[in-house]
Amino acid sequence: MNKPEDNLWDGGLSFAKLDFAREARTGFGETVFCPGKTEAQLVAILDAFHKSNRPVLGTKCSIAQFRAAEAAGLPLEYDETSRVLVSAWASPKPVEGTVAVCTGGTADIPVAEEAARTAVFFGATVQRQYDVGVAGLHRLIGRIGEIRKADAVIAVAGMEGALGSVLAGLVEVPVVAVPTSVGYGASFKGLAPLLAMLNSCAEGMTVVNIDNGFGAAAFVCRMLRSRMKRERS
Amino acid sequence: MNKPEDNLWDGGLSFAKLDFAREARTGFGETVFCPGKTEAQLVAILDAFHKSNRPVLGTKCSIAQFRAAEAAGLPLEYDETSRVLVSAWASPKPVEGTVAVCTGGTADIPVAEEAARTAVFFGATVQRQYDVGVAGLHRLIGRIGEIRKADAVIAVAGMEGALGSVLAGLVEVPVVAVPTSVGYGASFKGLAPLLAMLNSCAEGMTVVNIDNGFGAAAFVCRMLRSRMKRERS
Amino acid sequence: MNKPEDNLWDGGLSFAKLDFAREARTGFGETVFCPGKTEAQLVAILDAFHKSNRPVLGTKCSIAQFRAAEAAGLPLEYDETSRVLVSAWASPKPVEGTVAVCTGGTADIPVAEEAARTAVFFGATVQRQYDVGVAGLHRLIGRIGEIRKADAVIAVAGMEGALGSVLAGLVEVPVVAVPTSVGYGASFKGLAPLLAMLNSCAEGMTVVNIDNGFGAAAFVCRMLRSRMKRERS
Amino acid sequence: MNKPEDNLWDGGLSFAKLDFAREARTGFGETVFCPGKTEAQLVAILDAFHKSNRPVLGTKCSIAQFRAAEAAGLPLEYDETSRVLVSAWASPKPVEGTVAVCTGGTADIPVAEEAARTAVFFGATVQRQYDVGVAGLHRLIGRIGEIRKADAVIAVAGMEGALGSVLAGLVEVPVVAVPTSVGYGASFKGLAPLLAMLNSCAEGMTVVNIDNGFGAAAFVCRMLRSRMKRERS
Amino acid sequence: MNKPEDNLWDGGLSFAKLDFAREARTGFGETVFCPGKTEAQLVAILDAFHKSNRPVLGTKCSIAQFRAAEAAGLPLEYDETSRVLVSAWASPKPVEGTVAVCTGGTADIPVAEEAARTAVFFGATVQRQYDVGVAGLHRLIGRIGEIRKADAVIAVAGMEGALGSVLAGLVEVPVVAVPTSVGYGASFKGLAPLLAMLNSCAEGMTVVNIDNGFGAAAFVCRMLRSRMKRERS
Amino acid sequence: MNKPEDNLWDGGLSFAKLDFAREARTGFGETVFCPGKTEAQLVAILDAFHKSNRPVLGTKCSIAQFRAAEAAGLPLEYDETSRVLVSAWASPKPVEGTVAVCTGGTADIPVAEEAARTAVFFGATVQRQYDVGVAGLHRLIGRIGEIRKADAVIAVAGMEGALGSVLAGLVEVPVVAVPTSVGYGASFKGLAPLLAMLNSCAEGMTVVNIDNGFGAAAFVCRMLRSRMKRERS
Amino acid sequence: MNKPEDNLWDGGLSFAKLDFAREARTGFGETVFCPGKTEAQLVAILDAFHKSNRPVLGTKCSIAQFRAAEAAGLPLEYDETSRVLVSAWASPKPVEGTVAVCTGGTADIPVAEEAARTAVFFGATVQRQYDVGVAGLHRLIGRIGEIRKADAVIAVAGMEGALGSVLAGLVEVPVVAVPTSVGYGASFKGLAPLLAMLNSCAEGMTVVNIDNGFGAAAFVCRMLRSRMKRERS
Amino acid sequence: MNKPEDNLWDGGLSFAKLDFAREARTGFGETVFCPGKTEAQLVAILDAFHKSNRPVLGTKCSIAQFRAAEAAGLPLEYDETSRVLVSAWASPKPVEGTVAVCTGGTADIPVAEEAARTAVFFGATVQRQYDVGVAGLHRLIGRIGEIRKADAVIAVAGMEGALGSVLAGLVEVPVVAVPTSVGYGASFKGLAPLLAMLNSCAEGMTVVNIDNGFGAAAFVCRMLRSRMKRERS
């Protein structure tokens, strides 16, 4: 149904329209949300990136999906904790700057790692500050000097999600808050920290979807890239 | 339909069963939730307390309700901010102890005053620590020495409701958190701080209904009264 | 990234900041929320407590997590019903007092046991009053004399969650209500009893998260400990 | 657009299809839900009942609507508390039996009166048992002997809505529970007692919509009428 | 902790208070909600009923639970579709009357069978009218003559849950509506039919919890029993 | 900030971009959602349509907004019931076909009139079938012959929202369902009929937003227009 | 309980009332929603269609259900991606027209295929336009010329669900939007795109249930069939 | 209760702790959320800023509140549309950069103006691009060249909230999305666009609370200020 020339422009797949032009348009290459894709679909998508030597990052990738891609001979790096998959054959043009990725607790680490690895993929330097939740403020206070040196802060927290508010009151740089589905009962799978973060009384903070570490890092890296362009222009 | 002796035991009203025996049973006299009562009903209820010389406290009382009661010649004290009404003719046997009532912001003060005035009615000493929300931690840190001297803390906060979590990590005494409907949008009339407080990662904190300053103070005073009994037994 | 001296203060782990100073600050040692932690992380955390001879309690610990810790040679006690894990090597300085843990039904027992075992860990005496729900009031009435002897009541109930309201009207001591996810359909995993408990018309009751037996007991023990300090001062 | 003969069968109105045949089909005449109807529409509907000498009951009728109907010369009885309107010109064939209408608090009375007046309209005997909520069980226990004499119980309660569960455990007859929007905060306009009543652990109880006193009484009267038919057949 | 005589009155179990007196108080014996009970607990409960030769009905009983009880030598009848378990050793004193159990679709049958088998257990005659949903009205119309002969109707429906409204407009007897979790997407596990049924514009209908076929039948049987008492008095 | 030529293309307003090209693109002219616009903004928008002699329809227009437009000398037609405003100076090229607009009750008429007047504006013939809800099926059955003659059906209903399901099972033409906010309590402002309609077991029905009579009619008219094009091509 | 002649009319099954008359009444044969049916029930239903040589389509059919039907010797076609099952023995009288089925992403394909295969079953020509979501508008723009040639558009999208709004602004034909449960966190299983689609600012679009590809196609085919009748009359 | 020196540090008010040190800590002065504050409280707060010659911005300020402050002789600027209040006596040290504030429709302008005026207060250049919603893509496409020149984009939209997703796919700079409560019915006061924005399939976008134009601008200005610091260091 599609004309051949369309397919070339789209990466040559019938079921997916790869956006190879996005890099030119928004400054970033395409990334792949893996859930809901068959192994065959995912392999075909990754293969198209590989063939055109373009970098690619996949999120929430299951081990089975990764194994299928690996079995197809694609050179990939995969992290089980964060379920992040990255191309070993190419990397995006790196952004410049440091991101502090902080978590309220240990159970928030998988989401934080999704953010951290995304930021690393885009070339940022990452500072990991895990388990610094507000119930033990001294832990956070002990780290605040270091956190203040970053260009942006990503605050990852489940339960009551207060970490972002407290951080935004303590640092000068932009804070992006990531609610997580860590918790139980009235957490309602992350609704509690999501609403808390949206209602923060602190200025200088925005929010992404529950468990969306990737989205926070992609935003922060867009911010860093945008700054680079400005500085050079 | 009711037998006369029933009515006496109930306070003599046909539409309400006053619980004059509650004091004996739970250690506290009855209190009155004013919304939804006609002015005539409220006056009749208060009058029954007055005639039997028993103390009474009314919550969420409108000015019109108060004026009607005042016009009926009942000696009452009324506070417009908190909409708390108390009998001037009698007081409960006082509890012993100090309660620190803290708020995240200025707009939480009406709910905090409901808590404070309820605690005062029951005989507690009250320490008011208003506008110490987590977006400016130094404000809270500056007060923490004084707050630690209280026997219990009531943390009143809307928006992201993080005050209770932070306080529970900083003091040794029990913390009762009161979410408020202060905020807008995704606050959903207090749902955001309510969920945040229920999901607190801090130990030693419990929660009451949105805007229920009375409930927090009544609980804390029950705790103080219970302690008195224990100490004397 | 962290300085060595930080790590010592934090318990020496890179991914978790153990709060060994919490006991000094809040009167209690740290407890561990087990879900979301890898077995290796949990073992490392417990080991740090063990090495420093500090007591520790873990909640919602899976059998697999417990087995991993046991295999690592840590002397622990584990209860399958409540999924509570406690250190066999040390106990907190005990609080004084009795807690009545009541349930509406048999299916609420796992949450009640989480509360009971937490209270026992902190040194309280526990009175178990199970299956005394409001649909058969005589069962509750038959126990009320004994319940009244406790210093605090924990009311654990799913479904309509009315147990707390009824209890708070029958005893003098503070009541902490724990909604459970027992039920189906319009229970919405515990939302029904949670909302019911928050809206209780009874005074002297507060609420914790759905299925949070630990939180209720930790609050009650903080209350008992706080009273001890007062009595001795 | 409608043929004249249709209109006659429908009561002769173009905007409403009156169901004069319902009595034959379901044993009851039609009732009118007043909100959302213009005064002119309501008057025309009532007038059609008046002209055909059929009884009619209107629910949630505003004073302005009643005044408009009264001004049109229709002989009506109106109760401000319950906002129930009944035809003075005709009554349904009465059912036989007694209904106990109970409330948790004084603020539930308007909804209870809607139930009571509906039951009276259909010919039932009504026993009013107001302010017998579960926070003061002795009030309910003191009435239970009389309540047990009724053929059915309507339990009207807001807040935690536990009255129905407790009643259903104490009486032999069917209990219909009516949640009310009395309360604030996490009541969410009656959602809390609605969910609580639906999740009742007591057998022999069903539920109607929030504030739907009419629906509970109409159901109970259908039950009583159905029994009459059976007894006579 | 419990005195021996208490245990006898309660059925002799430490973890459950069996309500052998309920029959005298409410006219019905006890029933058992099986989920959340260990196999050992359930067997002990059933055994206590068996030893005292009292009838018992269990709901939402898993096959594993049934097998455990069977292996313990208890004479039971079990139905896999409805997951209803009944004692083979004794039956309640039967009620008199016929119940029409109707479903919107085939997938609602498990819930309908829970209702039907509960009604049979209590002695009612049951008329099954399955798959008569409103999208094909002629199916319902074809059955309505027979349905009208019943003493009560139980309308079981998922999806839009309109069956009850339509039935209540077509029959004279009381209708109890049971929403089911059949459906997907915006059904939100039965919330859609639950809300629809609560908002029915038809009179003479009440509602029970999602998937609570038992509750509907227990209510209807209470109604039938109550009528029997009346007729004999 | 905008270049003059942009403004001409947009209708010449700085705060609104009128889409005069939409007619060419989608076959329809622009319509105006009035809430949230100041009177001055609305007048300016309408004036731009007037000056270019293009037809316009405004929805949910307050009387005050209409009065302001009228005072500005714009020739408009306004209907208070539906709050629909239409240009008297021009009409769209009419579609061909008949739409049956049906309501469950009288209170649904304002939304139904919004649909009906929108359909009339676009040139359709409208058949009004009001108050034919499912609780009195004979009312609907009596009209069904006439309804079947229409090219499309719009089913407007609040409360349980079953009208659409029943209609879709009785007619051959497409049915668009409009949930209304008519009702109270667990209607949750139209959520109940919205969910019911989305979960309909009947085929051949789609749904629009609560109270969106306009949307249903605009869709149906697009369908009719699309058919015209096809027939002529 | 059912008379034999009833059963014939119903397709001869005791647990299901097959609606063989629906084709005459609504222009379509019956379709089967497979979840919740036992394999035996589904086989019996399909067999009844087979015996009477009528076409049938099943939705959301599990592989196990399909295998059971296949093992029973029924000639069926089954698609694993969409879980659609169709009779190989008969087809409905085909509609005329083309439907463009579009998706936002690759993960929406199973729902889109349910729509596409349903449309093919009813005889429509299907144009598949997958992975044209709004985050890369050029992908959609590149296809819009072809999409505009269709008689109707089905827009399948999860996440923010904006595809339908954008399409409705770009084409002249009716657009039916299908929200999908693709996404995570604050998608709340498809609630996010459902609400977005219901609130679309674009005219000419209606919505079906989450993941209900079948419903969208059935509606569109009803529209096409209805047009055919009109054109021929 | 507060020591005098505390008060000086806090701005000298007993009910509010002004955070004059915030500028040093986070780079910004304090801003005031006006709702819930009495006129007297607000005047006192503004006066403290005035006396110390510090800039201040108030949000969601009612006309009555502004009038009270004006009457107190404070030199203020107030905008009725956005309800933003700014000090005329002092301005913050300006940030450098341009912000494009875009809206989906005209009714979103008050929220957009809150963002625009906040950005102007902090010194940013503002580009207003109103009424460029996705239902008429050409309007947005016509502006995209200009929007791409900005350093950041604020996308303000109600209804389905798709503007942000489309913009994030078309520009290189960071996009902050602001859902608005514009809409009705299933918008649920802004929940629909909030969820849509959180689930955006576009990268490089974050979200703030419903109607929180201030929050979006404050975040963007923090980003711009942070960049300035970096460039100068």
Side-chain angles (χ1 to χ4, degrees), chain A residues 13 31 35 41 45 72 89 108 112 119 129-130 132 135 140 154 166 177 187-188 199 205:
Chain A
L13 301 176
T31 53
Q41 287 173 334
I45 289 169
W89 59 81
D108 301 314
Q129 305 285 2
Y130 293 168
V132 293
L140 179 57
I154 294 176
V166 171
S187 159
F188 296 118
N199 284 283
M205 185 169 92

PDB file of all heavy atoms in Angstrom, chain A residues 13 31 35 41 45 72 89 108 112 119 129-130 132 135 140 154 166 177 187-188 199 205:
ATOM      1  N   LEU A  13      10.418  -0.257   6.821  1.00  0.00           N
ATOM      2  CA  LEU A  13       9.576  -1.238   7.482  1.00  0.00           C
ATOM      3  C   LEU A  13       8.121  -0.955   7.167  1.00  0.00           C
ATOM      4  O   LEU A  13       7.703   0.199   7.076  1.00  0.00           O
ATOM      5  CB  LEU A  13       9.779  -1.174   8.995  1.00  0.00           C
ATOM      6  CG  LEU A  13      11.215  -1.413   9.468  1.00  0.00           C
ATOM      7  CD1 LEU A  13      11.282  -1.231  10.975  1.00  0.00           C
ATOM      8  CD2 LEU A  13      11.682  -2.785   9.064  1.00  0.00           C
ATOM      9  N   THR A  31      14.067   7.054  19.784  1.00  0.00           N
ATOM     10  CA  THR A  31      14.204   6.039  20.812  1.00  0.00           C
ATOM     11  C   THR A  31      13.004   5.118  20.697  1.00  0.00           C
ATOM     12  O   THR A  31      11.988   5.478  20.117  1.00  0.00           O
ATOM     13  CB  THR A  31      14.264   6.677  22.207  1.00  0.00           C
ATOM     14  OG1 THR A  31      13.142   7.536  22.342  1.00  0.00           O
ATOM     15  CG2 THR A  31      15.538   7.461  22.382  1.00  0.00           C
ATOM     16  N   PRO A  35       7.737  -2.190  25.175  1.00  0.00           N
ATOM     17  CA  PRO A  35       6.576  -3.020  25.497  1.00  0.00           C
ATOM     18  C   PRO A  35       5.536  -3.023  24.371  1.00  0.00           C
ATOM     19  O   PRO A  35       5.306  -2.005  23.708  1.00  0.00           O
ATOM     20  CB  PRO A  35       6.010  -2.360  26.757  1.00  0.00           C
ATOM     21  CG  PRO A  35       7.165  -1.688  27.383  1.00  0.00           C
ATOM     22  CD  PRO A  35       8.000  -1.203  26.222  1.00  0.00           C
ATOM     23  N   GLN A  41       9.285  -7.647  15.579  1.00  0.00           N
ATOM     24  CA  GLN A  41       9.173  -6.217  15.271  1.00  0.00           C
ATOM     25  C   GLN A  41      10.349  -5.439  15.840  1.00  0.00           C
ATOM     26  O   GLN A  41      10.952  -4.605  15.167  1.00  0.00           O
ATOM     27  CB  GLN A  41       7.866  -5.653  15.840  1.00  0.00           C
ATOM     28  CG  GLN A  41       6.620  -6.098  15.067  1.00  0.00           C
ATOM     29  CD  GLN A  41       5.332  -5.665  15.738  1.00  0.00           C
ATOM     30  OE1 GLN A  41       5.276  -5.464  16.940  1.00  0.00           O
ATOM     31  NE2 GLN A  41       4.282  -5.539  14.946  1.00  0.00           N
ATOM     32  N   ILE A  45      13.200  -3.299  13.838  1.00  0.00           N
ATOM     33  CA  ILE A  45      13.415  -1.863  14.072  1.00  0.00           C
ATOM     34  C   ILE A  45      14.888  -1.596  14.400  1.00  0.00           C
ATOM     35  O   ILE A  45      15.520  -0.698  13.829  1.00  0.00           O
ATOM     36  CB  ILE A  45      12.488  -1.373  15.210  1.00  0.00           C
ATOM     37  CG1 ILE A  45      11.037  -1.349  14.708  1.00  0.00           C
ATOM     38  CG2 ILE A  45      12.916  -0.005  15.722  1.00  0.00           C
ATOM     39  CD1 ILE A  45      10.010  -1.135  15.798  1.00  0.00           C
ATOM     40  N   ALA A  72      20.029 -12.093  17.030  1.00  0.00           N
ATOM     41  CA  ALA A  72      20.021 -11.642  15.643  1.00  0.00           C
ATOM     42  C   ALA A  72      21.335 -10.983  15.262  1.00  0.00           C
ATOM     43  O   ALA A  72      21.484 -10.450  14.157  1.00  0.00           O
ATOM     44  CB  ALA A  72      18.864 -10.661  15.428  1.00  0.00           C
ATOM     45  N   TRP A  89      26.898   0.275  18.417  1.00  0.00           N
ATOM     46  CA  TRP A  89      27.531   0.653  17.150  1.00  0.00           C
ATOM     47  C   TRP A  89      27.626   2.156  16.922  1.00  0.00           C
ATOM     48  O   TRP A  89      28.383   2.605  16.084  1.00  0.00           O
ATOM     49  CB  TRP A  89      26.797   0.010  15.968  1.00  0.00           C
ATOM     50  CG  TRP A  89      25.334   0.392  15.886  1.00  0.00           C
ATOM     51  CD1 TRP A  89      24.851   1.556  15.361  1.00  0.00           C
ATOM     52  CD2 TRP A  89      24.209  -0.352  16.322  1.00  0.00           C
ATOM     53  NE1 TRP A  89      23.480   1.584  15.463  1.00  0.00           N
ATOM     54  CE2 TRP A  89      23.070   0.407  16.040  1.00  0.00           C
ATOM     55  CE3 TRP A  89      24.040  -1.603  16.948  1.00  0.00           C
ATOM     56  CZ2 TRP A  89      21.777  -0.029  16.346  1.00  0.00           C
ATOM     57  CZ3 TRP A  89      22.765  -2.038  17.233  1.00  0.00           C
ATOM     58  CH2 TRP A  89      21.651  -1.258  16.944  1.00  0.00           C
ATOM     59  N   ASP A 108      13.563   2.645  44.405  1.00  0.00           N
ATOM     60  CA  ASP A 108      13.404   3.555  43.268  1.00  0.00           C
ATOM     61  C   ASP A 108      14.560   3.438  42.271  1.00  0.00           C
ATOM     62  O   ASP A 108      14.554   4.108  41.228  1.00  0.00           O
ATOM     63  CB  ASP A 108      13.328   5.022  43.753  1.00  0.00           C
ATOM     64  CG  ASP A 108      12.180   5.258  44.711  1.00  0.00           C
ATOM     65  OD1 ASP A 108      11.065   4.790  44.413  1.00  0.00           O
ATOM     66  OD2 ASP A 108      12.384   5.920  45.746  1.00  0.00           O
ATOM     67  N   ALA A 112      15.511   5.187  38.496  1.00  0.00           N
ATOM     68  CA  ALA A 112      16.626   6.134  38.484  1.00  0.00           C
ATOM     69  C   ALA A 112      17.698   5.696  37.481  1.00  0.00           C
ATOM     70  O   ALA A 112      18.287   6.522  36.772  1.00  0.00           O
ATOM     71  CB  ALA A 112      17.235   6.237  39.888  1.00  0.00           C
ATOM     72  N   ALA A 119      20.660   9.424  30.265  1.00  0.00           N
ATOM     73  CA  ALA A 119      21.508  10.619  30.268  1.00  0.00           C
ATOM     74  C   ALA A 119      22.915  10.288  29.780  1.00  0.00           C
ATOM     75  O   ALA A 119      23.516  11.050  29.006  1.00  0.00           O
ATOM     76  CB  ALA A 119      21.547  11.226  31.669  1.00  0.00           C
ATOM     77  N   GLN A 129      22.817   9.814  43.377  1.00  0.00           N
ATOM     78  CA  GLN A 129      22.620  10.103  44.803  1.00  0.00           C
ATOM     79  C   GLN A 129      21.401   9.317  45.248  1.00  0.00           C
ATOM     80  O   GLN A 129      20.298   9.843  45.272  1.00  0.00           O
ATOM     81  CB  GLN A 129      22.401  11.614  45.010  1.00  0.00           C
ATOM     82  CG  GLN A 129      23.498  12.487  44.454  1.00  0.00           C
ATOM     83  CD  GLN A 129      24.764  12.450  45.310  1.00  0.00           C
ATOM     84  OE1 GLN A 129      24.839  11.738  46.323  1.00  0.00           O
ATOM     85  NE2 GLN A 129      25.771  13.196  44.898  1.00  0.00           N
ATOM     86  N   TYR A 130      21.607   8.055  45.625  1.00  0.00           N
ATOM     87  CA  TYR A 130      20.472   7.194  45.909  1.00  0.00           C
ATOM     88  C   TYR A 130      20.178   7.087  47.403  1.00  0.00           C
ATOM     89  O   TYR A 130      21.074   7.151  48.232  1.00  0.00           O
ATOM     90  CB  TYR A 130      20.730   5.800  45.329  1.00  0.00           C
ATOM     91  CG  TYR A 130      20.778   5.773  43.812  1.00  0.00           C
ATOM     92  CD1 TYR A 130      21.249   4.653  43.138  1.00  0.00           C
ATOM     93  CD2 TYR A 130      20.343   6.860  43.044  1.00  0.00           C
ATOM     94  CE1 TYR A 130      21.284   4.601  41.748  1.00  0.00           C
ATOM     95  CE2 TYR A 130      20.378   6.817  41.645  1.00  0.00           C
ATOM     96  CZ  TYR A 130      20.857   5.698  41.010  1.00  0.00           C
ATOM     97  OH  TYR A 130      20.891   5.653  39.638  1.00  0.00           O
ATOM     98  N   VAL A 132      18.200   8.991  49.486  1.00  0.00           N
ATOM     99  CA  VAL A 132      18.329  10.237  50.262  1.00  0.00           C
ATOM    100  C   VAL A 132      16.953  10.842  50.554  1.00  0.00           C
ATOM    101  O   VAL A 132      16.755  12.053  50.539  1.00  0.00           O
ATOM    102  CB  VAL A 132      19.227  11.258  49.522  1.00  0.00           C
ATOM    103  CG1 VAL A 132      20.643  10.760  49.469  1.00  0.00           C
ATOM    104  CG2 VAL A 132      18.694  11.550  48.113  1.00  0.00           C
ATOM    105  N   ALA A 135      12.512  11.264  54.901  1.00  0.00           N
ATOM    106  CA  ALA A 135      12.302  10.823  56.279  1.00  0.00           C
ATOM    107  C   ALA A 135      13.597  10.864  57.077  1.00  0.00           C
ATOM    108  O   ALA A 135      13.570  10.813  58.302  1.00  0.00           O
ATOM    109  CB  ALA A 135      11.704   9.416  56.287  1.00  0.00           C
ATOM    110  N   LEU A 140      20.114  13.581  52.995  1.00  0.00           N
ATOM    111  CA  LEU A 140      20.056  14.504  51.873  1.00  0.00           C
ATOM    112  C   LEU A 140      20.976  15.699  52.105  1.00  0.00           C
ATOM    113  O   LEU A 140      21.715  16.124  51.213  1.00  0.00           O
ATOM    114  CB  LEU A 140      18.605  14.984  51.680  1.00  0.00           C
ATOM    115  CG  LEU A 140      18.361  15.974  50.561  1.00  0.00           C
ATOM    116  CD1 LEU A 140      18.830  15.419  49.226  1.00  0.00           C
ATOM    117  CD2 LEU A 140      16.887  16.315  50.478  1.00  0.00           C
ATOM    118  N   ILE A 154      17.410  15.302  38.763  1.00  0.00           N
ATOM    119  CA  ILE A 154      16.261  14.422  38.555  1.00  0.00           C
ATOM    120  C   ILE A 154      15.959  13.767  39.889  1.00  0.00           C
ATOM    121  O   ILE A 154      16.808  13.097  40.467  1.00  0.00           O
ATOM    122  CB  ILE A 154      16.555  13.368  37.463  1.00  0.00           C
ATOM    123  CG1 ILE A 154      16.732  14.059  36.105  1.00  0.00           C
ATOM    124  CG2 ILE A 154      15.450  12.335  37.395  1.00  0.00           C
ATOM    125  CD1 ILE A 154      17.129  13.136  34.962  1.00  0.00           C
ATOM    126  N   VAL A 166      11.617  19.125  48.334  1.00  0.00           N
ATOM    127  CA  VAL A 166      12.697  19.509  49.234  1.00  0.00           C
ATOM    128  C   VAL A 166      13.926  19.908  48.419  1.00  0.00           C
ATOM    129  O   VAL A 166      14.555  20.948  48.683  1.00  0.00           O
ATOM    130  CB  VAL A 166      12.991  18.358  50.223  1.00  0.00           C
ATOM    131  CG1 VAL A 166      14.249  18.662  51.023  1.00  0.00           C
ATOM    132  CG2 VAL A 166      11.804  18.160  51.153  1.00  0.00           C
ATOM    133  N   ALA A 177      10.961  15.943  38.429  1.00  0.00           N
ATOM    134  CA  ALA A 177      10.552  14.919  39.384  1.00  0.00           C
ATOM    135  C   ALA A 177       9.938  13.737  38.656  1.00  0.00           C
ATOM    136  O   ALA A 177       9.138  13.901  37.742  1.00  0.00           O
ATOM    137  CB  ALA A 177       9.546  15.506  40.364  1.00  0.00           C
ATOM    138  N   SER A 187      -0.948   4.075  47.598  1.00  0.00           N
ATOM    139  CA  SER A 187      -0.054   4.619  46.575  1.00  0.00           C
ATOM    140  C   SER A 187      -0.756   4.574  45.219  1.00  0.00           C
ATOM    141  O   SER A 187      -0.505   5.393  44.344  1.00  0.00           O
ATOM    142  CB  SER A 187       1.239   3.787  46.504  1.00  0.00           C
ATOM    143  OG  SER A 187       1.868   3.968  45.259  1.00  0.00           O
ATOM    144  N   PHE A 188      -1.659   3.595  45.075  1.00  0.00           N
ATOM    145  CA  PHE A 188      -2.380   3.395  43.821  1.00  0.00           C
ATOM    146  C   PHE A 188      -1.431   3.429  42.622  1.00  0.00           C
ATOM    147  O   PHE A 188      -1.631   4.153  41.659  1.00  0.00           O
ATOM    148  CB  PHE A 188      -3.550   4.374  43.684  1.00  0.00           C
ATOM    149  CG  PHE A 188      -4.599   4.173  44.724  1.00  0.00           C
ATOM    150  CD1 PHE A 188      -4.928   5.161  45.637  1.00  0.00           C
ATOM    151  CD2 PHE A 188      -5.228   2.945  44.845  1.00  0.00           C
ATOM    152  CE1 PHE A 188      -5.868   4.941  46.636  1.00  0.00           C
ATOM    153  CE2 PHE A 188      -6.174   2.707  45.842  1.00  0.00           C
ATOM    154  CZ  PHE A 188      -6.499   3.715  46.729  1.00  0.00           C
ATOM    155  N   ASN A 199       1.587  18.963  42.827  1.00  0.00           N
ATOM    156  CA  ASN A 199       1.110  19.992  43.747  1.00  0.00           C
ATOM    157  C   ASN A 199       2.219  20.599  44.582  1.00  0.00           C
ATOM    158  O   ASN A 199       1.929  21.255  45.574  1.00  0.00           O
ATOM    159  CB  ASN A 199       0.061  19.380  44.674  1.00  0.00           C
ATOM    160  CG  ASN A 199      -1.252  19.201  43.975  1.00  0.00           C
ATOM    161  OD1 ASN A 199      -1.985  20.156  43.789  1.00  0.00           O
ATOM    162  ND2 ASN A 199      -1.534  17.981  43.528  1.00  0.00           N
ATOM    163  N   MET A 205      10.267  23.196  39.504  1.00  0.00           N
ATOM    164  CA  MET A 205      10.186  21.747  39.340  1.00  0.00           C
ATOM    165  C   MET A 205       9.069  21.406  38.354  1.00  0.00           C
ATOM    166  O   MET A 205       8.004  22.005  38.390  1.00  0.00           O
ATOM    167  CB  MET A 205       9.892  21.093  40.682  1.00  0.00           C
ATOM    168  CG  MET A 205       9.905  19.582  40.634  1.00  0.00           C
ATOM    169  SD  MET A 205       9.857  18.862  42.298  1.00  0.00           S
ATOM    170  CE  MET A 205       8.096  18.660  42.496  1.00  0.00           C
TER     171      MET A 205
END
